[in-house]
Amino acid sequence: AGSIFDRLLPCAVRVMREASPPPARAAALACCSLLRASRNAAARVDAFRKLAREFGKGERWQHRLLYVGGVCEGALQCFSARLFRVFFLDAVVFCLADRVPNVRRRACGLLPSVRAALADPAHSGLLEGVSAAQARLLSDPDPDVSSAARLASEGGAGVCLCAG
């Protein structure tokens, strides 16, 4: 299984970097599935950090959009809330304040799931930070972003992670 992981993960990351949005998103979801199946904890942690650094906080807005709409969606499906908090949350909060409106709008779609991952009272400080970011997004100058933030604050009804 390690050999498959060692061969497929770099291919999936390359597709994420170079392909158009639909195959890049599929590759991001595949990355999460591969990481979930990997038994090598150190390699998983390295991959989580690399994804957050290269895609979640990367220079290209397309990578940040893919991080929010592909990597984080897959992570929320494949991993525990604790693992999501430890490895993915910081870059999500970064994306909530992104300079590109589409990245902020897509990150709004994650807010209900992020709040659920922070439901434990021990994480009230993190939840306050996310709530403050959401409050800023409610008055965002971009109408699509403020609308997405409003939908997310109402429980996420109608928020689509797939839309461009």
Side-chain angles (χ1 to χ4, degrees):
S3 171
I4 292 172
F5 176 80
D6 293 338
R7 290 179 186 211
L8 289 180
L9 190 65
C11 289
V13 171
R14 186 175 62 246
V15 170
M16 289 169 61
R17 275 190 212 110
E18 299 171 2
S20 64
R25 183 173 180 277
L29 296 173
C31 267
C32 290
S33 294
L34 285 167
L35 290 168
R36 171 91 170 134
S38 173
R39 297 187 187 276
N40 184 341
R44 281 174 39 161
V45 168
D46 288 343
F48 293 150
R49 289 184 177 143
K50 181 179 181 179
L51 289 171
R53 182 181 61 250
E54 186 175 332
F55 291 93
K57 295 183 177 183
E59 291 183 21
R60 298 187 64 204
W61 68 268
Q62 296 93 337
H63 287 175
R64 297 188 305 274
L65 194 64
L66 177 62
Y67 182 79
V68 172
V71 174
C72 289
E73 181 182 347
L76 285 164
Q77 292 172 2
C78 292
F79 303 113
S80 68
R82 179 181 177 276
L83 191 139
F84 183 83
R85 280 192 311 272
V86 170
F87 293 107
F88 297 94
L89 182 62
D90 185 49
V92 169
V93 172
F94 180 82
C95 289
L96 287 169
D98 200 276
R99 66 184 179 275
V100 177
N102 276 346
V103 175
R104 294 192 309 272
R105 182 184 58 79
R106 179 90 51 100
C108 286
L110 289 174
L111 285 170
S113 299
V114 167
R115 281 197 307 268
L118 299 173
D120 186 343
H123 306 295
S124 61
L126 293 171
L127 185 58
E128 287 175 15
V130 170
S131 296
Q134 184 172 3
R136 283 192 308 274
L137 291 169
L138 286 168
S139 59
D140 195 275
D142 186 281
D144 292 335
V145 174
S146 59
S147 175
R150 203 169 17 270
L151 285 171
S153 70
E154 295 168 357
V159 175
C160 178
L161 293 174
C162 310

